[in-house]
Amino acid sequence: MSSIPSKNLWIRRQQCPCGDWKCYITYEGDGDGDEGSSAPELIKTEKPSSGTMITPYVGMVFKNDDDAFEYYGSFARKNGFSVRKERSRISPQLGVYKRDFVCYRSGFAPMKKKSNGENHRDRKSVRCGCDAKMYLCKEVVEGVPQWFVVQFSNVHNHELLEDDQVRLLPAYRKIHEADQERILLLSKAGFPIHRIVKMLELEKGIQGGQLPFLERDVRNFVQNRKKVVQENGALLSEKRENDVLELLEACKAMKEADGDFVYDFTVDENDKVENVAWSYGESVNANAMFGNVVYFDTTYRSITYGLLFGAWFGIDSYGRTIFFGCCLLQDETPQSFSWALQVYY
């Protein structure tokens, strides 16, 4: 039996009679035990100094598979490659209980087929059958699920990259949220992609080509964001049309129930509802009695639909504010205001 160091953990490693090695984890504590205890002494390993990282090994323990992947990814970056998730296995009792993490050049890319049945590839693949990997298996130890490294290999059949090269691998090219906002702002202002990249370099005070992402990453990000905005806009436009039609149906039903209820609407050149106005029977009668002086309030606008909400108010003989009617307007043009005024007068 022997003790194995691991970051922030107490670990005891022992060999099974079958010859396999497994790690049994004990959480950090005061470590005080009876002097006569026959239990083996556990040694707490100090944290490695900054810049150093323990190479993964068979029997290494992680709390979950996400921590394992993050650790392996950090190890890979320091050693000139990146990693990706490959296979996982699921059981009804444990859920996902096996995870395979491999070098980004593991395996071989499948051949694509042309319409005539011939195999071809449009571009060269980076995969070369590299066997570097880290396989994990989940076990429940004293009721606590833990992930153990069951296989590990750091043997590569390709050249590892230097630090200034490894940062350009797709796995490490990230556009942070602050940079995303800046890119969208400059793009909205009409800056071309190469100017946006140059602007970011100047603002950060770095040399050209030293951003943590490439120009094509910025271009892809802007294009994808525009696509999302267009899709959301189309969905919002469809929802708006449906909701406005439901509003008109409600006004029609209200007119049947209340003969004094009034409503009106306009449509644009595409026969889509543009402006809607309505007023209840009591409000119509109040307008006939106290409509000599009115106030039209257009303070509020619908954020979801972008429509302007207008409401007509007056004052009764007791000095109280009374409601005359309301409307939804497409814009704040004189034509829209003139239409809203003519609906009531």
Side-chain angles (χ1 to χ4, degrees):
M1 187 177 294
S2 59
S3 296
I4 300 296
S6 178
K7 185 177 180 180
N8 297 328
L9 300 174
W10 296 95
I11 295 222
R12 181 178 64 193
R13 189 180 183 191
Q14 67 179 17
Q15 190 172 20
C16 178
C18 68
D20 190 18
W21 287 86
K22 291 186 178 180
C23 289
Y24 294 87
I25 181 170
T26 304
Y27 288 103
E28 295 181 7
D30 52 16
D32 294 336
D34 298 335
E35 293 181 359
S37 174
S38 60
E41 180 182 0
L42 300 180
I43 302 175
K44 182 177 184 297
T45 304
E46 295 182 357
K47 292 183 180 181
S49 59
S50 59
T52 64
M53 175 171 285
I54 298 175
T55 301
Y57 55 86
V58 174
M60 196 173 187
V61 186
F62 297 93
K63 292 182 179 180
N64 53 62
D65 54 335
D66 290 333
D67 288 350
F69 185 71
E70 182 179 355
Y71 188 91
Y72 192 30
S74 299
F75 170 81
R77 179 159 190 170
K78 288 181 177 294
N79 287 270
F81 66 103
S82 67
V83 296
R84 59 181 171 85
K85 298 178 181 179
E86 194 178 45
R87 295 175 299 179
S88 62
R89 298 165 184 82
I90 302 176
S91 72
Q93 295 78 16
L94 296 175
V96 177
Y97 71 97
K98 283 189 177 181
R99 285 285 193 191
D100 295 351
F101 303 144
V102 297
C103 173
Y104 77 111
R105 303 193 68 175
S106 172
F108 297 94
M111 299 294 293
K112 295 182 179 180
K113 289 186 177 181
K114 293 182 178 180
S115 56
N116 57 10
E118 297 180 2
N119 294 333
H120 80 291
R121 279 200 59 80
D122 296 331
R123 56 190 177 86
K124 185 177 179 181
S125 172
V126 298
R127 300 191 184 185
C128 60
C130 180
D131 194 44
K133 59 181 177 289
M134 186 174 79
Y135 294 171
L136 296 102
C137 183
K138 181 169 70 174
E139 296 183 15
V140 179
V141 180
E142 297 181 355
V144 179
Q146 302 289 343
W147 287 84
F148 298 85
V149 178
V150 294
Q151 289 188 48
F152 176 76
S153 171
N154 198 34
V155 179
H156 300 263
N157 64 351
H158 57 89
E159 183 180 358
L160 299 178
L161 304 177
E162 299 294 334
D163 185 63
D164 60 338
Q165 297 173 317
V166 72
R167 69 180 182 84
L168 299 179
L169 291 176
Y172 306 129
R173 298 203 310 263
K174 305 295 183 183
I175 303 180
H176 297 293
E177 184 175 353
D179 291 332
Q180 291 180 11
E181 295 178 358
R182 188 64 174 157
I183 289 171
L184 292 176
L185 180 63
L186 294 173
S187 176
K188 189 175 181 179
F191 282 70
I193 299 299
H194 70 280
R195 292 289 186 186
I196 294 176
V197 173
K198 186 64 176 178
M199 181 71 72
L200 292 175
E201 291 172 347
L202 292 174
E203 291 177 348
K204 295 177 181 293
I206 59 178
Q207 297 181 353
Q210 296 302 310
L211 290 171
F213 44 83
L214 302 178
E215 182 175 319
R216 68 168 175 265
D217 297 323
V218 177
R219 181 173 290 103
N220 292 337
F221 169 72
V222 172
Q223 291 176 350
N224 291 337
R225 184 57 62 91
K226 287 182 179 179
K227 182 179 179 181
V228 170
V229 170
Q230 291 173 354
E231 292 176 351
N232 291 342
L235 292 175
L236 182 60
S237 177
E238 181 179 358
K239 177 176 173 56
R240 171 184 168 179
E241 292 178 14
N242 294 334
D243 290 349
V244 170
L245 291 177
E246 290 182 5
L247 173 61
L248 293 180
E249 290 295 327
C251 289
K252 182 178 180 181
M254 184 64 69
K255 179 65 176 178
E256 295 176 354
D258 181 3
D260 292 332
F261 180 87
V262 295
Y263 74 97
D264 196 5
F265 63 93
T266 62
V267 295
D268 59 15
E269 62 275 8
N270 298 318
D271 289 332
K272 293 183 179 180
V273 177
E274 198 172 37
N275 305 311
V276 183
W278 66 96
S279 180
Y280 300 94
E282 293 182 356
S283 298
V284 172
N285 296 330
N287 186 23
M289 296 178 60
F290 306 104
N292 294 329
V293 177
V294 296
Y295 171 68
F296 187 48
D297 185 1
T298 57
T299 303
Y300 302 100
R301 177 182 291 274
S302 170
I303 297 177
T304 304
Y305 304 119
L307 295 174
L308 185 70
F309 177 77
W312 296 95
F313 297 100
I315 299 177
D316 64 11
S317 56
Y318 296 97
R320 296 175 301 187
T321 301
I322 52 177
F323 173 75
F324 289 155
C326 58
C327 60
L328 291 173
L329 302 179
Q330 180 73 25
D331 49 42
E332 299 181 80
T333 60
Q335 293 79 6
S336 296
F337 287 143
S338 176
W339 174 85
L341 183 63
Q342 292 174 9
V343 171
Y344 298 102
Y345 298 95

